[in-house]
Amino acid sequence: MSRALRRSAGVCEWLVHTGQHYDCNMSDVFFKDLDIPEPKYNLGIGSARHGAQTGRMLEAMKVVLLEELPNWVLVYGDTNSTVAGALAAAKLHVPVAHVEAGLRSFNRAMPEEINRVLTDHASDLLFAPTGASVRNLEREGISGERVRTGWRRDV
């Protein structure tokens, strides 16, 4: 998605790294191997219990969003960073797009599952990767033009 945005005329993409994953094997390697640009912001949040970490991210993201005033916030996956970015944007009335929307484990004991569900419900545009993810969103009342996918129902 990031590469496609960088190729789009008139789109200015900048990245925020919350610091949730901060060691080389969980952070730097992905930027290098996936050719992701350096983040404009590194919030340096680090480790903490889920609530504390997510709360710190929410506060720091709000500061960034108020400074930058973006047209959209794009979040990926199911991390605490994902839900914090989505919540910060939604609370500031900035539209949110979620990549990997609709994925479900159906195990509410997993923190990532809670992050997935909350992020999807806070998002304005949902990029669902599979037919199953589209159906999961439909079961939760999310459908129509908000949901985008490469999956086709008629195939």
Side-chain angles (χ1 to χ4, degrees), residues 8-48:
S8 299
V11 174
C12 175
E13 176 199 30
W14 45 266
L15 304 175
V16 176
H17 188 316
T18 63
Q20 176 175 349
H21 298 298
Y22 48 85
D23 70 14
C24 184
N25 290 330
M26 290 297 289
S27 179
D28 299 344
V29 69
F30 292 108
F31 284 92
K32 181 178 176 245
D33 291 353
L34 298 174
D35 191 31
I36 299 171
E38 286 290 317
K40 183 172 182 178
Y41 296 90
N42 189 328
L43 305 180
I45 301 297
S47 293

Side-chain angles (χ1 to χ4, degrees), residues 48-153:
R49 293 182 183 266
H50 292 286
Q53 184 185 57
T54 305
R56 288 185 202 134
M57 290 175 188
L58 184 58
E59 284 185 68
M61 283 297 303
K62 181 180 175 188
V63 171
V64 170
L65 296 177
L66 287 171
E67 181 176 319
E68 292 288 343
L69 301 173
N71 294 319
W72 280 88
V73 169
L74 180 64
V75 295
Y76 297 82
D78 59 9
T79 63
N80 291 341
S81 300
T82 303
V83 73
L87 287 173
K91 287 176 175 283
L92 293 172
H93 308 288
V94 177
V96 177
H98 182 206
V99 176
E100 299 179 11
L103 298 178
R104 298 291 183 266
S105 68
F106 303 103
N107 179 356
R108 291 287 182 116
M110 293 175 58
E112 295 83 2
E113 184 73 353
I114 302 302
N115 293 346
R116 291 178 194 121
V117 172
L118 293 176
T119 299
D120 285 344
H121 284 267
S123 294
D124 300 279
L125 186 58
L126 298 102
F127 295 104
T130 67
S133 60
V134 171
R135 289 187 296 277
N136 291 338
L137 292 169
E138 288 170 346
R139 279 192 292 275
E140 295 174 19
I142 302 171
S143 61
E145 290 299 310
R146 288 176 63 194
V147 179
R148 306 292 170 90
T149 186
W151 173 79
R152 291 182 27 206
R153 215 179 269 277

